[in-house]
Amino acid sequence: MPKFFAPSVAEQKQWDDPKRWRKEKLVKDVRYYAAQCGFEIRNETVETQDGYFLRMNRIIDPQTTHLKHSDGRGGFPVLIMHGLFQSSGSFVTSEERSLAFWLARHGGYQVFLGNNRGVFDMGHRTYKRSDPRFWDYNIRELAIYDLPAMVDYVCKETGYDRIAYIGHSQGNGTMFISLSKGMVPELGAKLSYFG
């Protein structure tokens, strides 16, 4: 039976220090986790064609955000999408090792984290969250409305015609549906990478 692996003092990283992580709070606001690692998250709102407001989180790295290419644009944009029953918090709660922070700092990317409708108490142009019609959607609406709205938003905000897209679990499946015949296959022209 394998023994529990305990890193030696020389191998320990600061996130392995119980004194550090015991002080952390468990909160719903992803900006808290970013601040713990020296990043900022800017909450931005995207409206879908069918009236839902989506929370987008833009990662701001003070070490790299100011860097521009010769054409005046920032790093290449990446949109990361969460899986089923998750949120953008999935990509920022592992301290400096978090995918979003790593891509921003080490890759120089402009990182955006998407969230499906209804996440983070976001609302609708017409329906209240207590209205059953607010919750009357399925993965098809996420594919037809949510992903195109987020991709268009990232393109507009960054000045790029195409972006990279990383989807985890449902985030990946939703993009496959978006790109399917009869859905929103033209969205593929706005992606340089889909993984």
Side-chain angles (χ1 to χ4, degrees):
M1 178 176 233
K3 293 183 179 180
F4 173 74
F5 174 73
S8 70
V9 174
E11 295 171 316
Q12 274 192 338
K13 305 289 184 196
Q14 66 184 100
W15 51 74
D16 292 324
D17 181 7
K19 292 176 186 168
R20 177 181 178 202
W21 55 259
R22 282 189 187 139
K23 295 177 193 172
E24 282 191 349
K25 301 175 190 171
L26 180 60
V27 299
K28 191 175 179 181
D29 191 344
V30 294
R31 295 175 296 183
Y32 168 80
Y33 299 101
Q36 300 304 306
C37 302
F39 292 83
E40 178 188 337
I41 290 182
R42 190 175 307 144
N43 287 338
E44 300 177 356
T45 302
V46 176
E47 184 177 352
T48 66
Q49 191 176 8
D50 63 340
Y52 283 86
F53 300 114
L54 310 177
R55 169 71 68 227
M56 292 280 290
N57 301 126
R58 184 189 295 217
I59 304 297
I60 307 296
D61 179 6
Q63 293 183 20
T64 62
T65 299
H66 65 282
L67 301 175
K68 303 290 181 204
H69 294 291
S70 59
D71 61 6
R73 297 182 298 183
F76 196 77
V78 178
L79 171 60
I80 306 174
M81 197 64 198
H82 62 81
L84 183 64
F85 303 126
Q86 296 180 335
S87 72
S88 58
S90 302
F91 304 106
V92 299
T93 54
S94 296
E95 294 85 22
E96 296 84 359
R97 301 168 293 173
S98 298
L99 177 62
F101 300 149
W102 195 93
L103 288 172
R105 178 148 303 158
H106 300 286
Y109 294 98
Q110 294 185 69
V111 180
F112 292 79
L113 305 176
N115 288 286
N116 289 330
R117 52 186 65 197
V119 175
F120 290 124
D121 301 325
M122 297 301 286
H124 188 274
R125 183 184 332 127
T126 306
Y127 306 131
K128 293 184 178 182
R129 291 174 63 87
S130 59
D131 187 326
R133 293 173 292 182
F134 179 90
W135 301 102
D136 187 20
Y137 61 84
N138 60 41
I139 197 168
R140 287 177 48 103
E141 281 80 16
L142 304 180
I144 295 170
Y145 300 113
D146 292 19
L147 285 185
M150 289 186 271
V151 169
D152 286 346
Y153 180 82
V154 173
C155 287
K156 180 179 173 239
E157 288 293 307
T158 62
Y160 284 85
D161 295 330
R162 295 166 32 143
I163 69 168
Y165 179 84
I166 300 171
H168 169 67
S169 188
Q170 178 184 278
N172 190 294
T174 305
M175 184 58 84
F176 274 113
I177 295 169
S178 289
L179 299 174
S180 299
K181 185 177 179 180
M183 300 302 270
V184 195
E186 62 274 13
L187 190 61
K190 298 178 182 177
L191 303 179
S192 65
Y193 174 83
F194 164 34

